Amino acid sequence: MNIHVFNPEHDIALASNLANFTAPHAGRQLRADLGFLPALWAKEGDVILVENVEYAQKAWERLRKRLVSRYGMGSTKWNNSFLWVEAPVSWDGITCISPWGWDKAIKRELERKGSPLAIMPSDEQLGTIRRLSHRQTAAHLLSLLQMEGTMGEAVFCETLEAVEHQQRLYRRIVLKAPWSSSGRGIRFVEGDLNDHQRGWLLNLLKSQGGVMVEPYYEKVKDFGMEFESTDEGIRYLGLSLFHTANGAYTGNILATEKVKLEKLSHYISVDLLDCVKESICHSLQLEDYRGPFGVDMMVTKEGLHPCVEINLRRTMGHLALALSPTDDDIRNVMRIEYTSNYKLKINKL
């Protein structure tokens, strides 16, 4: 039996590297409002840990009815054959924990809720996950994916002087924190660093030991590929066509793989996409990490950038895949919107 936990504050917790971590208010509210989301991928007999069972059940039932009636999703796909729980948790029969992402904070939280250590990663495994989540892993994969039709480079700099050297080479650069969340750790620089950028950079060099520096590329289209790392190797799950604003996620297209591939084919060769997908499956080494992950990519004016970043956790792309229709004529957009609380919105494309 698997127990699922939605901890969307994972990226910030991973950056802090603290077991006793308190998420920002927005992260706590996102978790409280959308804690029911694992119902979209939970299997029969699984358990979903939420903060308020009654609220989660009502939110899930509203979404399930919309999926069945309004968006043409098959009723057999969405069922209630799992168990909602809130603290305290009975751990009898639970053999696996599936959070949104693993970090020290979620492990400590589950320990306090009584989780057996045997079904959680060791501290050494958590260290490996954090190390692999560093942007240097993405830079390494990017180097492995260089082939005809692909482009992109990234350099890890540990000093202000090294950053300024890259800035002189390219003039327009993108600075990325080694660990960051939803575009918050990204700065776009054109020309010399201003005082605000310099201060942010110096603080980052001190707190995270360096910064990833990339040339600025003229983006044409955002997309990604979603995968799962298993004992048998890396398994490809599907495409993620998403939108961003200033580096932050804004929404996903919900459509069949055929439709998504057709949309991408207007920008990039399908054969090249297949080559990149196969190369990731065969060349990416994730040591003992097991679980979902995503590789964000983009089409630029110069070609395909095959690895903008790697997210070693479940992603909004995985969520979109769980919501994908089976009918080519059904095309929707999924967004997370905030008014007085966070809501999952699905509208026709």
Side-chain angles (χ1 to χ4, degrees), residues 39-238:
L40 290 165
W41 52 83
K43 297 179 181 179
E44 183 175 355
D46 282 355
V47 177
I48 301 173
L49 176 60
V50 295
E51 295 185 6
N52 184 305
V53 166
E54 183 180 2
Y55 176 88
Q57 286 178 321
K58 288 181 179 178
W60 164 242
E61 188 58 25
R62 286 195 298 269
L63 175 61
R64 192 185 70 82
K65 286 180 179 178
R66 293 203 307 272
L67 293 173
V68 171
S69 64
R70 187 175 174 189
Y71 301 112
M73 306 292 187
S75 59
T76 57
K77 186 176 181 181
W78 313 114
N79 58 69
N80 290 306
S81 57
F82 41 77
L83 177 67
W84 302 96
V85 299
E86 56 189 72
V89 179
S90 172
W91 294 92
D92 292 343
I94 294 175
T95 58
C96 181
I97 304 174
S98 295
W100 185 258
W102 276 112
D103 52 68
K104 287 183 177 180
I106 190 65
K107 180 179 179 180
R108 177 63 59 85
E109 177 186 332
L110 292 169
E111 281 179 354
R112 289 195 293 264
K113 287 179 167 63
S115 171
L117 290 176
I119 61 173
M120 292 194 291
S122 66
D123 291 344
E124 291 74 17
Q125 288 172 313
L126 288 180
T128 297
I129 291 172
R130 187 171 190 269
R131 174 172 55 79
L132 291 172
S133 298
H134 193 287
R135 289 192 189 274
Q136 284 181 296
T137 301
H140 175 66
L141 178 59
L142 177 60
S143 69
L144 298 177
L145 296 176
Q146 294 302 315
M147 61 186 76
E148 185 176 355
T150 67
M151 44 72 67
E153 57 184 293
V155 177
F156 184 64
C157 296
E158 300 179 79
T159 66
L160 177 61
E161 292 73 21
V163 173
E164 290 176 332
H165 173 71
Q166 294 298 312
Q167 191 274 333
R168 286 192 295 271
L169 286 177
Y170 299 107
R171 297 306 295 169
R172 298 182 73 186
I173 59 173
V174 184
L175 305 179
K176 298 182 178 180
W179 296 278
S180 61
S181 170
S182 300
R184 292 189 182 94
I186 298 176
R187 297 291 186 275
F188 297 91
V189 178
E190 184 169 1
D192 295 335
L193 293 164
N194 61 38
D195 290 342
H196 178 73
Q197 292 166 338
R198 186 181 296 267
W200 175 84
L201 176 59
L202 289 173
N203 181 65
L204 185 65
L205 294 174
K206 181 179 179 180
S207 63
Q208 295 196 23
V211 63
M212 193 62 68
V213 183
E214 303 176 11
Y216 175 83
Y217 300 111
E218 292 285 349
K219 181 174 67 177
V220 175
K221 183 71 175 176
D222 278 315
F223 74 102
M225 293 183 182
E226 307 303 334
F227 300 87
E228 182 180 20
S229 177
T230 72
D231 288 336
E232 289 73 41
I234 292 176
R235 183 166 69 96
Y236 174 70
L237 301 178

